[in-house]
Amino acid sequence: MEYSVILHIKNMVCYRCVLVVEQELKKLGILEAKVQLGKVALMHSLSEQTHKGFEERLQSLGFELLVEKQEIVIESIKQLILDIVQKDSRLATKLSYLISENLAIDYSYASKMFSERESITIEKFYIYQRIERVKEYISYGEMTLLEIANKMYYNDLSHLSKQFKSVMGVSPSQYKKEQNYNRNYIDKIIT
């Protein structure tokens, strides 16, 4: 299939978000679409009325259609980072190179734009997402901190502990001991 139209959607952060967007498209009678985190590929442009209806449905569900190029780049960066973190992927290369290659954009430009718009660096956003994933694993109570550190590709437990404490203000063991697992919504993780 040849997809000619790409719609970029803000706040798609998980597989359930993809399912929800797919359901909304089906309700509108749009069956030939490829939905991924942060975007929908369509074979044809939507009519103005259908586009408006889709946009309204998305907004009622907490999503937002993006039009501005900078917003699309920022959302694409977030989606790439979320994908890496949620899949517990190891970075085989530097994050800057990965972003440049995947988005075909100059990293220094993307980094500056991201920092200005989000009031956080790309690297800090990545760290905060990783720590949120660590908090998720801790809350399950199924793995030791060392197992979590290994699963999340930290160099060692002390690296995880140092990064966790810098973000959370307490060590991972203290966080685990308190059992007050205050997790954040993935799409709301900013300083």
Side-chain angles (χ1 to χ4, degrees):
M1 272 189 222
E2 184 75 28
Y3 297 102
S4 61
V5 177
I6 305 291
L7 301 176
H8 294 273
I9 303 172
K10 186 175 182 175
N11 297 330
M12 287 181 71
V13 296
C14 65
Y15 180 67
R16 286 178 302 283
C17 295
V18 171
L19 294 176
V20 167
V21 171
E22 285 175 343
Q23 289 172 352
E24 292 304 315
L25 287 166
K26 285 178 185 173
K27 287 178 187 176
L28 292 169
I30 302 165
L31 304 176
E32 294 179 349
K34 182 178 179 186
V35 182
Q36 298 174 306
L37 283 179
K39 62 184 169 185
V40 174
L42 302 168
M43 294 182 71
H44 308 286
S45 296
L46 300 176
S47 69
E48 188 175 327
Q49 182 180 358
T50 303
H51 189 277
K52 186 168 178 53
F54 183 53
E55 184 172 21
E56 288 171 0
R57 286 177 189 234
L58 288 176
Q59 286 177 344
S60 73
L61 295 165
F63 301 115
E64 179 184 340
L65 273 178
L66 300 175
V67 179
E68 189 181 322
K69 172 104 171 112
Q70 288 184 340
E71 288 179 335
I72 293 169
V73 169
I74 289 169
E75 195 62 23
S76 296
I77 292 168
K78 287 180 178 181
Q79 293 303 328
L80 181 63
I81 290 171
L82 286 170
D83 192 44
I84 292 166
V85 172
Q86 291 302 308
K87 289 181 180 174
D88 298 323
S89 299
R90 177 184 206 85
L91 283 178
T93 184
K94 287 186 172 187
L95 185 60
S96 57
Y97 181 78
L98 195 63
I99 289 169
S100 293
E101 285 298 303
N102 279 278
L103 303 180
I105 190 168
D106 177 63
Y107 181 76
S108 59
Y109 168 76
S111 177
K112 183 178 181 201
M113 180 191 349
F114 190 95
S115 296
E116 287 174 357
R117 289 279 184 114
E118 299 297 316
S119 301
I120 187 174
T121 65
I122 291 172
E123 291 77 12
K124 278 200 186 259
F125 181 80
Y126 175 66
I127 289 168
Y128 288 178
Q129 292 296 334
R130 288 183 82 197
I131 294 303
E132 196 60 33
R133 184 73 165 166
V134 169
K135 287 167 52 181
E136 179 181 352
Y137 284 132
I138 290 171
S139 72
Y140 296 157
E142 298 171 348
M143 292 187 277
T144 67
L145 292 176
L146 181 58
E147 290 170 328
I148 294 170
N150 290 332
K151 184 166 183 65
M152 295 293 300
Y153 298 103
Y154 280 93
N155 296 334
D156 53 36
L157 184 54
S158 67
H159 181 212
L160 166 62
S161 295
K162 183 179 177 184
Q163 204 170 73
F164 193 95
K165 187 166 186 168
S166 75
V167 172
M168 296 300 300
V170 295
S171 69
S173 55
Q174 184 65 35
Y175 179 83
K176 186 176 186 175
K177 188 176 167 184
E178 291 174 1
Q179 293 188 359
N180 183 13
Y181 304 129
N182 56 339
R183 295 188 35 222
N184 298 306
Y185 295 106
I186 292 172
D187 60 334
K188 304 294 182 203
I189 298 176
I190 302 288
T191 58

